[in-house]
Amino acid sequence: MADPSVRGVRASFLDAIADPFFAPEKDCIRYFADGLLVVENGKVKDFGNYADLQTKYVDIPITEYCDRIIVSGFIDTHIHFPQTEMIAAYGEQLLSWLSNYTFPTEGKFADYHYAKEIAALFLDQLLRNGTTTALVFTAVFPQSTEAFFEEAQRRNLRMIAGKVMMDRHAPEFLTDTAETSYRETKQLIEKWHKCDRLLYAVTPRFAITSTPEQLSNAGKLLAEFPDVYLHTHLSENVQEVATVAELFPESNGYLDVYDRAGLVGERSIFAHGVQLSDREFARLSQAKAAIAFCPTSNLFLGSGLFKLEQAKSVATPVKVGLGTDVGAGTSFSMLQTASAAYQVAQLRSQKLSAFQALFLATLGGAQALCLDDKLGNFEIGKEADFVVLNPYGTPIMELRNRLPHREAAKNLAEISDQLFATMIMGDDRAIEATYIMGELAHGA
């Protein structure tokens, strides 16, 4: 009798197996026009051409997605769940946007039940858009983090989150203290880090809203729990960088503020990095830290154009993932985020290929989060989180992407063209289904 824990999915499959910024794309991208993914107990058991594997798995149930493309689950390396309801807030740049929109909204998350309601909506929206893992800001209130983790645990998601640490330059109703933020964060780490598929990130909002004492306590937590993450903002906006220089006159730049507190390491993820200096790129590279590239947010708030080509240079290679940064970001869709990343590259007279964008949204994000042993592609043994893309999800996409008789793309050139058009024009309508640990979590 067939093992009920083993099942298969048949479709076209596309994944990244290496970084196409540093090697020929043909050596970094794997494509099976007619492939079979075999899942056992939520993990990849086998993967390859259907013709090569079909006789080995004649007895297992197989779900078929004709004329669809399956990719590894999208990984969002920077997003704020309490900002879900204030997406598309008009007319401000970063610091005034925080004061006028963000802080009043986040105040609502002192209410555990409200936080739980928004967390449920937020996570369902991620799944609707094919995002299976995210690095998430909650709010300053520990109950907001509890609510988020409870909803993520209920969906069996691989999520990383942390309570915001913020003890100055914010409304009194939204601040903690250096001591309470340390104590509450420690309690949350002890309860939630490595609980099922959940992981914790120590989360000072950014240098402006943390005293040196609070940043020092964040460093103390990283020393006490060396396998948790550090998640914060860095060099997003010109005015922000100038304000940090005023608040920390002894520092040698914005990144150095975090470095002095012991916050720059291999498990540190810094959102934005639009205004980074050459020296700071070099330090991030040396520390093996990561940047979350958030193009829709950087464009919406007028922050600037991220130097992706410098982060992906041989001289100062830095781990980079894509971040939607909702609510400054304008879409939960990683397809739309990749489309904006392409446009940012164009504005800098650079190019971002479809395969490079796929890498950033999958394996690159996994590497940024030090999760590439678990996520990012279909290597045997990895967790089976994946997305079924429909390249015909709208009438104009069907016109643009059609091949004779809707047959699968035959080679890397054809699938690259189809993926690029899907990335540029796609959104949640291009997500046919989302699977978590081999189980259908959204779609059909």
Side-chain angles (χ1 to χ4, degrees):
M1 292 181 62
D3 185 340
S5 69
V6 181
R7 64 191 69 180
V9 180
R10 182 183 182 185
S12 296
F13 285 87
L14 182 67
D15 69 345
I17 56 175
D19 189 338
F21 289 92
F22 295 111
E25 290 191 336
K26 65 181 178 60
D27 299 328
C28 300
I29 300 297
R30 178 169 49 182
Y31 175 61
F32 297 116
D34 183 12
L36 180 67
L37 176 70
V38 181
V39 177
E40 181 177 29
N41 296 321
K43 295 187 177 180
V44 177
K45 176 181 176 65
D46 214 341
F47 180 57
N49 279 309
Y50 178 78
D52 297 334
L53 296 176
Q54 60 175 324
T55 57
K56 189 177 176 181
Y57 295 103
V58 292
D59 293 330
I60 69 171
I62 295 178
T63 302
E64 295 192 11
Y65 287 99
C66 297
D67 61 38
R68 300 295 187 259
I69 306 163
I70 294 183
V71 298
S72 187
F74 296 138
I75 297 173
D76 189 337
T77 56
H78 179 65
I79 188 169
H80 299 250
F81 109 78
Q83 294 178 19
T84 301
E85 65 189 271
M86 51 157 291
I87 193 171
Y90 171 75
E92 305 290 350
Q93 294 204 345
L94 175 63
L95 299 183
S96 56
W97 177 84
L98 286 170
S99 297
N100 293 339
Y101 296 118
T102 305
F103 292 158
T105 301
E106 290 192 4
K108 299 178 182 180
F109 287 78
D111 182 336
Y112 163 82
H113 297 288
Y114 187 76
K116 200 166 176 70
E117 175 188 343
I118 298 299
L121 186 152
F122 170 88
L123 290 168
D124 289 347
Q125 191 69 20
L126 289 183
L127 292 171
R128 181 183 184 89
N129 283 278
T131 297
T132 55
T133 289
L135 177 59
V136 183
F137 264 63
T138 64
V140 72
F141 313 105
Q143 58 268 34
S144 71
T145 311
E146 296 274 2
F148 176 83
F149 277 135
E150 287 168 4
E151 288 297 317
Q153 183 182 46
R154 189 164 67 84
R155 292 164 176 78
N156 196 28
L157 298 175
R158 172 69 70 185
M159 287 283 157
I160 311 169
K163 169 198 128 56
V164 169
M165 304 170 74
M166 183 164 59
D167 66 345
R168 66 171 173 177
H169 297 308
E172 186 175 347
F173 66 81
L174 208 60
T175 55
D176 52 19
T177 69
E179 175 54 36
T180 59
S181 66
Y182 169 81
R183 183 175 66 249
E184 290 169 353
T185 298
K186 185 172 183 176
Q187 291 169 348
L188 289 165
I189 292 171
E190 291 172 341
K191 180 175 180 179
W192 289 108
H193 186 58
K194 293 186 175 180
C195 177
D196 295 331
R197 302 183 75 204
L198 305 173
L199 299 165
Y200 199 89
V202 175
T203 310
R205 177 172 230 112
F206 66 156
I208 291 174
T209 52
S210 285
T211 59
E213 182 184 3
Q214 186 171 68
L215 293 177
S216 177
N217 278 353
K220 182 179 177 183
L221 288 163
L222 295 183
E224 292 176 6
F225 302 95
D227 61 353
V228 302
Y229 296 86
L230 183 283
H231 183 202
T232 191
H233 298 88
L234 172 67
S235 296
E236 180 178 357
N237 168 282
V238 171
Q239 184 184 353
E240 170 207 11
V241 174
T243 302
V244 170
E246 293 174 4
L247 291 172
F248 297 88
E250 73 288 350
S251 69
N252 187 22
Y254 195 158
L255 181 64
D256 188 53
V257 173
Y258 296 136
D259 224 349
R260 288 169 181 254
L263 304 183
V264 182
E266 188 173 4
R267 302 177 78 83
S268 301
I269 298 90
F270 297 101
H272 306 298
V274 175
Q275 315 296 336
L276 289 172
S277 67
D278 292 348
R279 184 183 66 252
E280 289 171 323
F281 270 112
R283 174 59 184 136
L284 290 169
S285 178
Q286 178 191 44
K288 299 181 181 178
I291 297 171
F293 174 23
C294 306
T296 71
S297 170
N298 297 155
L299 294 171
F300 183 72
L301 293 182
S303 300
L305 307 176
F306 176 62
K307 301 173 185 175
L308 179 61
E309 75 281 3
Q310 189 165 357
K312 286 299 184 179
S313 68
V314 175
T316 57
V318 180
K319 296 182 295 184
V320 178
L322 291 178
T324 60
D325 193 28
V326 168
T330 54
S331 175
F332 281 86
S333 171
M334 291 293 279
L335 296 173
Q336 287 293 288
T337 302
S339 175
Y342 172 81
Q343 294 169 56
V344 167
Q346 285 279 66
L347 287 167
R348 292 192 50 78
S349 300
Q350 304 291 320
K351 288 187 177 180
L352 177 69
S353 76
F355 291 151
Q356 288 171 333
L358 176 69
F359 169 80
L360 293 177
T362 56
L363 183 59
Q367 291 175 350
L369 301 179
C370 299
L371 288 174
D372 48 310
D373 62 328
K374 295 180 174 63
L375 304 172
N377 57 27
F378 296 113
E379 291 294 302
I380 292 172
K382 289 193 177 184
E383 297 167 354
D385 293 350
F386 56 90
V387 181
V388 182
L389 293 180
N390 178 4
Y392 315 107
T394 67
I396 193 65
M397 288 174 65
E398 181 164 12
L399 176 68
R400 172 62 175 82
N401 280 329
R402 67 184 178 192
L403 293 165
H405 311 294
R406 279 196 175 179
E407 64 186 23
K410 294 184 287 293
N411 52 48
L412 284 182
E414 285 188 358
I415 193 64
S416 174
D417 181 66
Q418 200 172 67
L419 177 67
F420 180 74
T422 302
M423 177 182 90
I424 296 299
M425 296 188 292
D427 51 28
D428 60 317
R429 292 169 294 179
I431 308 300
E432 177 121 332
T434 303
Y435 281 77
I436 297 298
M437 296 290 280
E439 300 286 344
L440 183 67
H442 167 77

